[in-house]
Structure formats: structure tokens, C-alpha cells
Amino acid sequence: MAKNNLKVPELCLVVLLGSSGAGKSTFARRLFKPTEIVSSDICRGLVADDENDQSASQDAFELLHYMVAKRLKRGLLTVVDATNVQEEARKPLVALARQYHVLPVAIVLDVPDAVAYERNALRPERRGMGPHVVARHRQLLRKSLRNLKQEGFRHIHVLRGVEEVDAIQGIVRDRLYNNRKEETGPFDIIGDVHGCYEELRALLEKLGYEIFEEPIEVVRDLGVRVIAPLVGRDATLRVSALDDAGMEGSDGADEKTRSVASLQSADGARRKAVFLGDLVDRGPASPQVLRLVMSMVRDGSALCVPGNHDIKLLRHLNGKKVTVNHGLAETLAQLEPEPEAFRSEVRRFLDGLVSHYVLDGGKLVVAHAGLIEEMQGRGSGAVRAFALFGESTGEIDEFGLPVRYEWAREYRGRAMVAFGHTPVPDAEWLNNTIDIDTGCVFGGRLTALRYPERELVAVPAAQVYCEPVRPLSYRRSSASSADTVVRVPEGNPNDDNGAETRTTESALLTAQHQHDDLLDIRDVTGKQFIETRLMRGVTICEDNAVAALEVMSRFALNPKWLLYLPPTMSPTETSALPDLLEHPAEALDYYKRLGVERVVCEEKHMGSRVVVVLGRDEAAIQRRLGLVSEGIGKCYTRTGRNFFTDAALEASFLARLRDALSAAVFWEKFDTDWVCLDAELLPWSAKAQELVKNQYAAVAAANSALPQVEAALTEAAARNLDGAEALLARTTARRQAAAHYADAYRRYCWPVHSLYDLKLAPFHLLATEGRTYFDRDHAWHMETLRTLALADPGLLRATPYRVVPLHDPAEVEAAIQWWTDLTAAGGEGMVVKPYDFVPQGKSGLLQPALKCRGREYLRIIYGPDYLLPGNLDRLRQRNVKAKRKLALREFALGVEGLERFVAGQHLRRVHQCVFGVLALESEAVDPRL
């Protein structure tokens, strides 16, 4: 680093110290971003409109401390521009740094009193500040220099004189050791090894690593080389010579000592192992484990964080007094015959380990005992202690062991956290965290988490090397109080499948499922901002959230069923053709203008939009959704309500649909035991009986007197009464419109007495185990579901569709004629969709679909008289912009929520999106659109 640069941690609290007039503000503005500086003078001005009003200092510093706290909470470097020459002024700043786990840095500007006084004299607002003030500041500053380190400042830079201050040309932001965000993986994260060398080798080989034993005289004490597996194809091996210390680059090495040192690939990345610590103690071969891991770390094929057992060994190697228990005695005995050089290398290796790593742009955090969000990427003694030991409640359990605070139950961070430390029978996800210490040394398994695949790979322990104080077959129930323990039958500890039978209903569920039994109202109240993959963010207003909460709490299904709510659909722009409000030409032209080359036109069914979540059996629903004794599935509406009110009919419907999928070999083809479908359930009257009776039939009944009125007016017109003829014409038109209205809604209604009266028309295969299908085009969805419909044509109906290339006028005209024929025959109309499920244009996300409804169907929506003179002209003024904005936001939320579910995120994250769709439905948009 050049002498004219100052070095500070990339995340820290910089405290400037100096008398008034020392040049602190100028120094800060020159070397730091304006947004990074929190100035006491500025804060004084904000609270008093006068930066020199000393009577406002208390309020000003309260504001300063508040602003500093908010910045540090967000992980932003912050500079405090104030005199800070008194210890009582610095004390709250150091406390804030400790609270937010950042390092406090002092930069002292020690300039002569005469210089400071002269500068103050040049500033009109400071002319009243006499020499005694500057002298007092300087005296306090000199006194402070002796105590800054004791106060807690980790880095102290003292600049004496104007020349030294002016000579500083830059600030070098030293990267924190835990910041490895540029490493994106893929990773193989390995839980606590505890000296189980053979199991570690077996696990690495199962993961695809190649391990070579090298001659001791060649590689000295690290007689192991490891090759990481590649991601991608066309992998080639590169052979490197090793010098007598086992390092690359020696031209004189004997050919026999050559070893494969790394892999190169034209299109793939090398995987990297990540060890979560506790390499030693209790197991039979701690030195061999150390030798292997040290070799991998040195060669760049692994990262490693320390465990509490590793740090205890380090303290012993450093000559510190430690209690030799919990397996340390075995490790020391195993190290005794090793060369001193090896023990020294172990000491240096352990001493260099960092408490935790933040990887993959902040998406992944690895730490031995885990790490709460506010400590991730920070550096302090508290962070290191938490990463090593977790947090204890201060209680002792029935086995005499400390009760650990279950921080993962409250975790809400964005980053995935992989950790170990506490042995568990099975690795389970909980709030985007996972404990992969599956107790190998206690006879369990050694487990690795493949990232980003989120796959678990494990090998069984060869034997029980150490009897655990607390049996692995005990685990705490996260659904109940902290004192509740669920007993799990032992089973076969070497069973790689990990199949175990729990003895209580709560034990049938994973920790995540139990945790998701209770949702926090704070997650769905107030103004919400939901980030999505398809849109930068979707804002949910507080009033809409309240309305959605009412619906969700009183009418909706168990939220665990609600993986997805379908979006609303915008209509086409208003047609200018006579007697038509909507026409497909507008929809086709809309997409053509936006650069879409092909669209899919689908017949719009006369039914109710539903989402079907279906399992192959109840066990599949229990495993994936955490629902016990709630059947094999649910069919629900756009507002999350159960479609069926008859439980027997619902069970028969779901069973028959399940059987149809089985007959179509769906489960095997898609390698899944559950599915989520977007569909239309016919007839419309099956769900809307009350609506038909109370609204549509009532309107028809209200017009039932029109024939008698028409007859009376006919007689009046025959007598040439004034105005009778005009009134007769209007009444005749109204009578005809009412008849058309009744015919229109009756087409949607037929009696539903049994399962045989229902038809399901699925049009989107949304998700199965491990994936969504938003990347498949609509033609693929249509063909896939058409094949499914053939398995049970009595229940399932294939959706007629056609692919339309928009550059072909003949195809466009044929699609329009198809719509004309459909609507003339009494059909509702059609839906026009871009060929791609997620359509993107130059300006971003396009409308996922536009509906184009026929003239007679629109009578149901707008009323019998909507085509009469004057009414249609008024309706042509409708504005579809708000509806289209709503459709885009709901579509983005629906995709996001289902993708979160398939990715294994907890219910709170999924429910946030589902709830958001429901809340948006409360926006003030014309429901007839």
C-alpha cells in the first residue's frame, strides 16, 4: 500500500477526531462518498436550522447516532464527522460498532492550534470561537491518543500536521476475510467430520472427487492430493510437476512424482468442497482428516471454517491451558507420533481459519454453528463466538448439555445458511437454513449438501466411534415448546436412506413443516414490497393487505395448500367494429406491435378458474406440504377458497384425477409424486349456483314482464298514441336483449348431481417435484395436457388451440374466423397468449395473456342492454391500462411464489406472494374488465 493511502476495513465505522478547524470535513469529503459521511454540523442544522447552534447539540447527536445505526444495520461503511475529542463522545459510537458487529476505526487529524484558529477565523460562522476552544480540543485530543486502543478502536491512524493530512490521497478499503462473494460455486458443503477419515474419503469419492496418496518424501507431511469434479463437459486433465515440498512449479521434479493437480474444462467449473469445521476429536483418524483437508484447501479445491473442537486444539497447540475432554485426548494421542513439522502446519492452518464465509454474491453463508442475519459478513468477537458455538439459553437439558437457542426458527435472512455443530438424525431445511451434522462419529452419517442443487449426499458411518451423551434419536420439536422432545426410534443407523418411523403425529413432519404451522401476521400487514424474478418489485398497499387478510383468515384453505394463485387477465383493447366491444384483431395486433412472432390462441372455457394441487397419495402430500390427514389434494379458486363444499364429491373428483394421471404414466414420466395444475372446472354453475340464482336469474326475472309491456305498447301504437311507437321500439329491443341474456347465462349452467357432471380442462402444468414449467411454451403445455386428457375423457377435456404466426395474414385471418365461429355457436371466446410462457419485450415483461370475449357472453358481464344505443358508446370509453398493470404484477407474484415453493423455501416466503396476489385483487379496477 502506498504511503499516501490509508487502509480501513471495507465495512467499518470511521470516527474522525480533531479540534474545530482541523479540516475533518474537508478530509472526509475528499476521500469518502458524500452519502457515507454523517456530520454533527449537518445534524445540528437539520434539527435547529443553524449548524452552529450549540444548544441543539443533544438533539443533533441523537440524530447522528440514529443515522449511524441505520447505516451500520444495512452493512454500509460510515464516517462520523465531529470533533470526537472527548471519550464520552466516542463511547456511544464504539457501542454502535459493537452492536452491529463492525470494526471501529479512528482517524486522528492533529494540526497545530494556530492553523485551526486561523481556519475558524476565515469562516464567518466560527469567528466567535476563541483560541481557548481550539486549545481545549487539542488538549483533549492528546489525552485521547493514549486510550483509543483500550476504548475498542481496532485501527488507529494518526496524521500529525497539515502536510501529513494533505498527503493522504486515497482510502484503501481492505476486504474482510469472510467476504468470498465472488466465489459462486458449485460447492459441496460437508458436515462435522470428527476424525472419520474413511467416511470422508468415501463421501468425497461419492461426490466425484479423485483422491491420490502421494509419497511422503515428495509431499512431506501432506501426502494427499485431491481432484475436484467438474461441472460441464469436455474436461481435460492438466499434469503439473511437484517440488519436494509438494508445491507446483518445480522444473526439476522427477517424473515419478508428478501428480494431477487440477482440472480444466472448456465449459465447466470445478466444484469446491466447503468444510464446516470440527475436523478433529472423538474419531479414529484426526491427523489423516487434517492432512486431507489441509491439502485440499492449499490446492484451492476446498474452503474450511473452524469448529469449536478445532479451536480448542489450536489453543492447546499454542500452549494455552485447556481441559482435555470431549475427544481432545484421542486427537492429541493421534498427533503424538506425527512429525513436529506437521503439528506446526496444523497450528498455522487452524490459526488462519475464518469464522464464516459469505459466498455466491451473498446468497450462501457457511459457519460451523450457523449465523444470524445481522452477523453475516461482519467481523467481531461476538460473530466468531456465535459461528463457533451458537447461542446458549443458559439452561441444561436432561443429559447435562447446554440448551442451544434455536436461532434457525427465527431466521428470516435472504442468504442460505449451512451449518453443523449440533448432531441431528436427519438434515432438514428450516427457514432457508440446514444443519448437516448427522452425527457420523456417533454412528450416524457423514452428509454433504450440494450447492446450488440443494441435494443431500451421505455415507453411513462404519461404526459407532463415540457414544453420544444425547442420543441422535432425540430431537426437539419446533412446533411446540422448547422443552418438548420427540423420541425417534433408533432404526438402523447405517441405513443410507434414513427411513425412520416417528412415534407421534408431529414427528411425521419436518421441522420446517412444524414451524410453518404458525404464520406471523406481521408478514402480511402494513405496506409490503415483494421482490420477484420477473419484475423488480411489487408493492402491496396497506389497505389491500387488510382486505386480503380478511379473506385469507375467514374463507381460505389451510395456507399450506396455497402454492399459487393465478393472475387476473386483461381484455383486449376496445374494438371499433359495430356491435362489438372486443375482437381478436386487437389482441393479435397488440402482440405483433411488441415484436411477438407467434401466439397461441386457446378456446376460453365456460367454467370456473381453479388450481389443483394433487398428490399420488397422502404420503406425498405429507412429505411435500406437511399436511397430515387432509387427503390427497385440493381444488381451489382464484381467491384460495375450496371449490367443493361436498367432501364426498371432492374426494371422488381428486381420486379419479389421480387415477387418470396414473393411467397416463404421468408420475413416472415427470419423476414426481405431486403436481400443481392451472385449469378450468366446468360447468360454471357448479360453483356459481347462488350467483346464477341471485344475480343472473334475478335480472332475467326482472325483465319477464317486458312481453306484456310490449303487447300493451303495440295496442297503443295501433291507436297512434303520441310516443307509443318509439317506446314500443325500445321495449322490443329490451325484450330481445333480455332473451339473449337469459340464453347466454343458461349455456354455462347444467345440473351437477355427481362426479359425471363435472369436466376439468387443464391448460397449464405449473409444477412437479423439483421444477416449474414456466420455461416451456404454451404449445408444449397444450400437448402435454391433451395427452393427459386422453387417459380419462369422461372427466378431462382437452383445450382446443391453434398456433398463429403473426407475420402470416392468412393464419391471422383464420384465427379470427375461428373466434367468430366459436362465439357464434355460443362459446365464450378465446385467450391469446404469446408462444413463450414468460413473454419478454424491449420494455420488459409483456402481458402473459389477453382475453377476447364474444358479444353474447359480454351480455352476462355488462347486462342485457349493453348493446342498446348509447350504452355501447359509453362502454367503449373503458380503460384497460389499470387492469393490465394489475395482471402483470399478479403474474410476477404467482410465478415467484411457486418458484419459491419448488426451491424449498419456507411457507412465509411462498405465502408472501400468494397473499400479495389476493391483496391486489382488492385494487379499484373495474371487475367487468
Side-chain angles (χ1 to χ4, degrees):
M1 183 182 68
K3 291 184 178 180
N4 56 351
N5 289 332
L6 288 183
K7 190 175 183 181
V8 302
E10 62 178 341
L11 174 55
C12 64
L13 176 62
V14 177
V15 179
L16 301 180
L17 289 78
S19 59
S20 177
K24 299 180 298 299
S25 298
T26 302
F27 181 86
R29 287 193 298 267
R30 183 162 60 87
L31 298 173
F32 296 95
K33 293 188 295 186
T35 53
E36 293 176 327
I37 304 166
V38 182
S39 164
S40 61
D41 288 344
I42 297 298
C43 290
R44 199 176 284 112
L46 288 173
V47 300
D49 287 337
D50 182 356
E51 293 185 3
N52 296 287
D53 185 354
Q54 297 301 313
S55 67
S57 290
Q58 180 175 344
D59 291 336
F61 276 96
E62 287 179 3
L63 176 60
L64 181 145
H65 294 151
Y66 178 81
M67 294 172 66
V68 168
K70 289 299 181 184
R71 286 186 59 83
L72 296 183
K73 180 182 178 182
R74 297 181 64 85
L76 299 172
L77 183 146
T78 303
V79 181
V80 178
D81 176 15
T83 56
N84 294 315
V85 293
Q86 296 175 310
E87 182 179 355
E88 54 266 32
R90 299 187 297 270
K91 188 174 181 179
L93 297 175
V94 174
L96 283 172
R98 287 174 176 162
Q99 180 182 347
Y100 294 103
H101 310 290
V102 302
L103 299 177
V105 176
I107 300 180
V108 181
L109 278 61
D110 186 8
V111 303
D113 292 359
V115 173
Y117 181 67
E118 182 180 348
R119 289 173 176 173
N120 287 333
L122 295 175
R123 298 171 62 180
E125 71 277 8
R126 296 283 179 89
R127 287 175 182 170
M129 187 175 294
H132 66 285
V133 176
V134 174
R136 176 62 176 165
H137 284 175
R138 187 95 180 284
Q139 180 183 9
L140 291 170
L141 180 66
R142 292 293 180 87
K143 182 180 178 181
S144 297
L145 289 177
R146 299 192 298 267
N147 301 317
L148 290 178
K149 188 173 182 180
Q150 288 77 11
E151 290 177 20
F153 286 95
R154 296 288 295 273
H155 302 273
I156 302 169
H157 302 283
V158 180
L159 305 176
R160 290 186 168 87
V162 176
E163 293 77 10
E164 285 192 20
V165 174
D166 292 344
I168 301 301
Q169 297 299 311
I171 298 292
V172 176
R173 303 183 184 224
D174 197 16
R175 187 173 187 171
L176 294 177
Y177 294 136
N178 56 49
N179 183 356
R180 304 290 284 265
K181 294 179 182 179
E182 79 287 354
E183 296 201 35
T184 58
F187 300 111
D188 297 312
I189 307 166
I190 298 174
D192 301 32
V193 181
H194 280 299
C196 298
Y197 177 67
E198 293 302 326
E199 288 83 354
L200 176 57
R201 282 187 60 114
L203 179 61
L204 287 171
E205 290 170 354
K206 189 172 183 179
L207 291 167
Y209 292 76
E210 295 182 70
I211 302 174
F212 298 88
E213 299 288 354
E214 292 297 331
I216 273 298
E217 66 271 18
V218 174
V219 194
R220 295 282 177 93
D221 297 312
L222 302 183
V224 180
R225 298 307 294 266
V226 178
I227 306 302
L230 275 175
V231 176
R233 296 171 298 175
D234 303 326
T236 59
L237 299 181
R238 177 171 61 85
V239 178
S240 299
L242 303 176
D243 63 17
D244 61 353
M247 302 300 290
E248 297 182 20
S250 173
D251 294 333
D254 187 276
E255 184 67 22
K256 294 180 180 180
T257 67
R258 289 176 177 267
S259 168
V260 180
S262 65
L263 285 170
Q264 292 178 330
S265 171
D267 63 349
R270 191 170 69 164
R271 298 191 71 89
K272 181 175 285 190
V274 181
F275 293 94
L276 294 180
D278 274 4
L279 305 174
V280 301
D281 292 351
R282 295 182 173 136
S286 291
Q288 290 90 325
V289 170
L290 286 167
R291 184 173 285 111
L292 176 59
V293 174
M294 289 160 60
S295 171
M296 293 180 70
V297 171
R298 188 186 63 179
D299 288 350
S301 59
L303 296 172
C304 184
V305 296
N308 56 300
H309 284 262
D310 308 319
I311 295 304
K312 190 173 183 180
L313 173 61
L314 173 63
R315 288 172 54 82
H316 177 85
L317 295 175
N318 283 335
K320 305 292 185 181
K321 185 176 181 180
V322 298
T323 303
V324 181
N325 58 2
H326 302 308
L328 179 58
E330 290 89 333
T331 300
L332 296 179
Q334 294 162 14
L335 283 172
E336 183 63 30
E338 296 289 343
E340 178 59 34
F342 176 73
R343 291 198 296 270
S344 296
E345 182 65 22
V346 169
R347 183 183 60 78
R348 288 191 295 270
F349 171 74
L350 296 178
D351 192 49
L353 296 181
V354 180
S355 66
H356 71 285
Y357 284 121
V358 180
L359 303 162
D360 193 15
K363 298 176 185 176
L364 173 64
V365 172
V366 292
H368 175 62
L371 206 61
I372 55 179
E373 184 180 23
E374 50 266 36
M375 288 184 170
Q376 294 168 9
R378 310 297 177 101
S380 70
V383 171
R384 187 170 180 83
F386 196 107
L388 288 172
F389 303 102
E391 186 176 358
S392 174
T393 65
E395 301 171 302
I396 300 298
D397 65 14
E398 59 186 291
F399 304 102
L401 298 176
V403 176
R404 301 291 180 189
Y405 175 66
E406 295 183 61
W407 61 273
R409 292 182 62 188
E410 308 300 326
Y411 182 71
R412 289 170 171 258
R414 300 288 302 275
M416 176 195 301
V417 182
F419 65 102
H421 184 56
T422 303
V424 292
D426 301 290
E428 292 183 343
W429 289 100
L430 179 58
N431 294 338
N432 209 25
T433 76
I434 186 167
D435 180 355
I436 58 171
D437 176 9
T438 48
C440 182
V441 77
F442 301 124
R445 294 183 295 276
L446 185 61
T447 298
L449 169 68
R450 294 171 66 87
Y451 176 92
E453 300 89 343
R454 295 172 70 103
E455 297 172 356
L456 292 170
V457 179
V459 296
Q463 65 181 79
V464 176
Y465 299 103
C466 177
E467 289 291 344
V469 176
R470 179 169 51 211
L472 282 179
S473 57
Y474 281 77
R475 66 176 176 88
R476 297 195 172 275
S477 170
S478 59
S480 52
S481 69
D483 294 329
T484 301
V485 175
V486 177
R487 186 186 302 270
V488 183
E490 293 279 355
N492 180 2
N494 294 333
D495 180 6
D496 195 30
N497 295 322
E500 295 169 330
T501 304
R502 270 69 170 178
T503 57
T504 67
E505 184 169 290
S506 64
L508 291 169
L509 306 178
T510 66
Q512 185 65 65
H513 287 146
Q514 294 179 55
H515 181 269
D516 287 342
D517 282 342
L518 183 65
L519 292 170
D520 194 330
I521 193 172
R522 293 173 296 179
D523 292 329
V524 292
T525 53
K527 186 176 181 179
Q528 305 282 319
F529 184 80
I530 307 173
E531 294 184 0
T532 71
R533 176 174 67 86
L534 299 182
M535 298 183 71
R536 181 178 175 273
V538 178
T539 300
I540 307 298
C541 298
E542 183 173 4
D543 290 345
N544 293 342
V546 171
L549 182 61
E550 171 74 6
V551 173
M552 188 69 77
S553 60
R554 294 184 60 189
F555 307 110
L557 288 169
N558 185 327
K560 290 185 178 183
W561 286 110
L562 304 181
L563 317 183
Y564 173 84
L565 287 184
T568 188
M569 193 186 308
S570 173
T572 66
E573 293 164 331
T574 303
S575 174
L577 295 174
D579 291 341
L580 287 175
L581 198 58
E582 296 175 7
H583 188 267
E586 278 71 29
L588 299 171
D589 185 60
Y590 167 84
Y591 285 120
K592 185 177 181 180
R593 291 197 315 267
L594 294 175
V596 176
E597 296 182 355
R598 289 183 296 175
V599 296
V600 173
C601 298
E602 302 173 9
E603 180 180 348
K604 197 171 190 305
H605 296 287
M606 298 187 296
S608 300
R609 184 83 173 265
V610 296
V611 174
V612 179
V613 177
L614 182 68
R616 193 171 189 172
D617 49 35
E618 286 197 46
I621 295 299
Q622 174 189 304
R623 178 191 65 81
R624 195 60 185 87
L625 276 70
L627 291 162
V628 179
S629 302
E630 290 204 25
I632 63 169
K634 285 293 177 184
C635 176
Y636 58 86
T637 68
R638 285 194 62 242
T639 56
R641 307 179 194 213
N642 199 357
F643 182 90
F644 290 96
T645 55
D646 185 330
L649 181 60
E650 176 186 45
S652 299
F653 169 81
L654 293 171
R656 185 167 171 183
L657 179 58
R658 184 264 317 276
D659 294 343
L661 267 66
S662 298
V665 200
F666 178 89
W667 310 113
E668 293 79 9
K669 180 178 178 180
F670 289 91
D671 191 21
T672 187
D673 58 2
W674 68 272
V675 66
C676 181
L677 297 171
D678 195 358
E680 198 89 1
L681 189 56
L682 293 78
W684 175 54
S685 56
K687 186 63 178 175
Q689 288 282 10
E690 291 302 313
L691 183 67
V692 171
K693 183 195 305 183
N694 297 328
Q695 181 170 323
Y696 300 108
V699 171
N703 287 279
S704 61
L706 287 176
Q708 289 82 5
V709 175
E710 184 181 20
L713 288 172
T714 299
E715 294 179 5
R719 300 201 305 266
N720 295 319
L721 295 179
D722 290 342
E725 189 171 343
L727 185 57
L728 173 60
R730 290 198 298 272
T731 302
T732 300
R734 288 188 60 200
R735 191 259 308 159
Q736 293 172 343
H740 289 315
Y741 175 84
D743 291 341
Y745 84 78
R746 284 169 182 160
R747 290 191 189 101
Y748 290 77
C749 308
W750 65 75
V752 177
H753 301 297
S754 70
L755 177 61
Y756 299 99
D757 298 316
L758 294 174
K759 296 288 184 182
L760 183 72
F763 48 82
H764 290 155
L765 172 55
L766 294 172
T768 58
E769 180 63 23
R771 68 160 300 169
T772 59
Y773 296 90
F774 301 121
D775 59 335
R776 298 299 187 100
D777 58 69
H778 284 292
W780 178 89
H781 283 265
M782 291 291 98
E783 286 303 308
T784 300
L785 295 171
R786 182 184 65 82
T787 303
L788 175 61
L790 294 176
D792 188 348
L795 175 66
L796 298 169
R797 176 179 293 183
T799 299
Y801 78 100
R802 60 195 307 151
V803 177
V804 182
L806 296 179
H807 63 275
D808 188 334
E811 291 288 343
V812 170
E813 186 58 37
I816 293 174
Q817 185 61 47
W818 185 53
W819 175 85
T820 303
D821 295 340
L822 283 174
T823 55
E828 180 176 333
M830 74 181 183
V831 178
V832 182
K833 302 175 180 179
Y835 193 77
D836 294 330
F837 201 113
V838 180
Q840 297 284 351
K842 293 181 179 179
S843 58
L845 187 64
L846 303 181
Q847 286 294 315
L850 293 176
K851 59 186 176 184
C852 182
R853 299 163 289 184
R855 187 179 70 168
E856 295 308 313
Y857 173 79
L858 286 173
R859 289 185 190 277
I860 304 174
I861 305 301
Y862 288 104
D865 300 338
Y866 90 107
L867 290 178
L868 296 184
N871 290 344
L872 185 58
D873 292 336
R874 175 175 50 80
L875 290 175
R876 289 189 193 280
Q877 307 306 312
R878 66 182 189 168
N879 190 338
V880 299
K881 289 183 178 179
K883 183 77 166 182
R884 290 187 176 178
K885 291 179 180 178
L886 181 64
L888 282 178
R889 288 179 289 163
E890 291 186 2
F891 179 71
L893 286 174
V895 170
E896 181 70 22
L898 196 53
E899 287 182 340
R900 290 180 181 183
F901 175 80
V902 169
Q905 297 192 30
H906 44 283
L907 183 62
R908 180 181 62 84
R909 294 272 293 161
V910 177
H911 194 248
Q912 182 185 39
C913 299
V914 173
F915 186 87
V917 174
L918 192 58
L920 289 176
E921 283 294 301
S922 301
E923 289 205 350
V925 176
D926 187 349
R928 300 174 301 177
L929 289 175

